Amino acid sequence: MTTLLPPRPPAASDHPAKGHPVRPGRARLNRPGVAWTLPATVFFLLFAVIPLIAVVVLSFMTWTGLGDPKFVGMENWQELAGDPVMLKSLWLSLLFIVLGVATQTPVSILLGVWAAGPQRNRAVLSAIFFLPLLLSSAAISVLWRALLDPNFGVPAQFRWLFGDGNLFGHQPTAIGVIIFVGMWQFTPFHTLIYQGAAKSVPPVLYQAAEVDGAGRARQFFSITLPQLRNSIITSVILMVVGGLTTFETVLILTNGGPGTDTTITAFYMFEEAFRRYNFGMGSAIAVVLVVVATAISLVMVKLSGYDKMRSTMEGV
Amino acid sequence: MNKPSLRTPVLAAASTLALGLTLAGCGGGGESASSDRPENEVHVLVYGDASNDVETAMVDRFNETSDVKVVLDTIPGADYQQKLQTVMSTDAAPDIFFNWGGGSISNFVDADLLMPLDDFIEEDPQLKDAFLPSVFDVATVDGTPYGIPMRGTQPVMLFNNKEVLASVGITESPKTWDDLLAAVDKLKAAGKTPIALGGGDEWPTQMWFSYVYDRVAGPELFQTALDGDTSVWDSEESREALGKLRDLVDSGAFGTNFQSVKFTDGGSPALLAGGQAGFELMGSWEYSTIRDTNPDFVATNLGWSTFPEIEGGKGDAANLVGNTNNYYSVLKDTRYPDTVRDFLKLMYSDEFVEAQMATGNLPTTTSTEQFLDQATNPEYARYQFELVQDAPNFQLSWDQAYPPAATPTIHSAVADFFAGSIDEDGFISAMQSLKK
């Protein structure tokens, strides 16, 4: 848990003098008491911990939503272990995450750095560019579904590019459409992160680089990109979390189809729980999703050194 | 972390326990539901759409004379089944609710939540006799009736664009499978999509399976499978039906991009109405769907016929497939069974039939015939009514005949088979995996 909390800048009062262990709650300590965390703790228990426990318990039961749940032991888990769709859905979820990060990150870094520049037109363009994020995912998906209709949409106008326009009928193109729509919607958000980060790079670094004769490309790779390090990690973590929970886009654009070719884990969970009324199985899938998500974020935090939060301001 | 935090796990455990006990308490409360049910009120839950006008009018009429008042609740759109499933085992369960008969109520029957309607029918035989038998029987589970028809019937028919057919020299709707194949070839040669199909929705694809299986093997095959003998999916007839479907898809009858087309967003009906396609197999709602967007086309060029006969097949060419009707089923725990029975009697009244006809629905009472001339399009209404009246068998849509748990499997199987990503064996094993 502690690794997910925002870093606290070290303050003088936080360092207890050597040999004098400080007990919490002492009035002379100039920091808020534990009581202040009570509301957050209660909400966290109520809306995160308890439901999580309930889901784990439910994964060992069978329940259609009618009557009382019945305990069935490992039945759901055994069925899930031998379920080809489950494995396929996990691969698809990982693929969605990798493709999402790979398409959104370069574009949003470039756009973010560009938008961090001083000219006025950039501010206006950035504002326009930000619009997709203001629309709901459901509305965006309905919009793109209509735009990509093979007979009446864009593909009908550009046969040389789209062929017969059967974008939703093949796995690669169906995945491509979902990735593209996700990119269209979320790149502005990540651009915003990079814009903020790029603006906070001290100009003195660029001035020094210019004196040393570094060109724009060299400045980008040697100054901007390293300085964006923590923002990249933040942004990628958000993309991974977003990728794992992608749902409405898939529901509206492809409905998990063709067949089960775009049935990612989150969608599969919905389908089991709310279309088959198999809440036990749905819960088991949810537990798998929680475990996978936790594993991914732990690995990312470790690999990126995010837990140590090295400052990007070193050497300034 | 600080010392007080040690208490947190204890606190969490305590509150979890408390919540668990509360939930257990709720579960126990459901047992004695009738005493908890509202006084002097009977709740009727229906799918929220344009037909609610008729239902509101019926409720108002009923409340004029009844001491126990009927309250109409609606749940809009596609979430109906999900939300119904959620409220049914709570104290907020409706006394009377809308459903599709067949598998859509079998879960509730298994959970012992529904009232068998035998006693009502014994007291008032009209509750059964006033309805067309092929329709009434669909809400019968294991020989016991659980539903009274309450809206309009929706047989699936083969719609066509008369102008497009005429332009390639087809003057008559296809009567046989070979006629259909010949028409497909002519339309394809003329550069049209022979048959519009909203494959993205998957259930329109299922209609082709329902009809071809019915015509080739007769209604018995599906009924046997539904009753639990899944070996019939691997029969010779089943493979023959699949072979016919394979040939049709491979001949290019549906074009190549049908998987990206939807009925629900207006894609496939627009192909038919816009003259890009010759046929579409669709429920009777096709008429009102297209009338909303293309009234001129409906008035002049929309044609309709039954699904063609398949030579050598066992199924009667007069058999129908579709949504037979919607039904009102009754909660076992209802507090006012007499009020419920009296309300259900309205479903065969003349006022009800007239009101349904005025909204474009085709009720399934035996008296409907007298009112056909008052329909928006009497010719269309009469055609449909005669189809339903004369049908030896009216097969409920596969995904409604099975319990809801089967729907995703059926839909994936029909879509995958049409796309060619599974073969006959794949389809057969998918259908065999379904549980009743």
Side-chain angles (χ1 to χ4, degrees), chain A residues 24 31 34 41 45 50 64-67 145 150-152 164-169 252 258-260 271 274-277, chain B residues 2 8 12 19 81-82 85 88-89 107-108 113 256-257 259-262 267 270-271 276 404-405 408-409 412 416:
Chain A
R31 64 197 242 191
V34 173
T41 311
L45 285 175
I50 292 176
T64 59
L66 297 171
R145 175 90 212 182
N151 300 302
F152 306 101
D164 61 2
N166 193 15
L167 292 174
F168 298 102
I252 296 168
T260 53
E271 198 166 75
F274 294 100
R275 286 208 173 137
R276 296 182 197 263
Y277 306 113
Chain B
N2 298 318
T8 317
L19 193 79
Q81 186 78 15
Q82 274 100 311
Q85 187 97 0
M88 273 304 278
S89 58
N107 280 347
F108 302 138
L113 290 167
T256 55
N257 58 21
Q259 302 261 44
S260 301
V261 179
K262 281 191 173 192
L271 284 176
Q276 286 161 272
T409 311
S412 287
D416 281 345

Side-chain angles (χ1 to χ4, degrees), chain B residues 17 28 53 69 82 86 89 95 98 106 113 123 130 181 188 193-194 234 264 277 279 342 368 371 427:
Chain B
L17 196 66
D53 293 348
K69 300 299 179 198
Q82 274 100 311
T86 323
S89 58
D95 298 279
F98 162 107
S106 62
L113 290 167
E123 280 176 54
L181 294 179
K188 211 170 67 170
T193 305
D234 200 9
T264 43
F279 297 98
D342 292 342
T368 302
F371 299 96
F427 181 81

Side-chain angles (χ1 to χ4, degrees), chain A residues 45-67:
Chain A
L45 285 175
L46 215 56
F47 295 110
V49 177
I50 292 176
L52 192 60
I53 294 171
V55 163
V56 172
V57 171
L58 203 55
S59 74
F60 295 101
M61 298 177 139
T62 172
W63 190 41
T64 59
L66 297 171

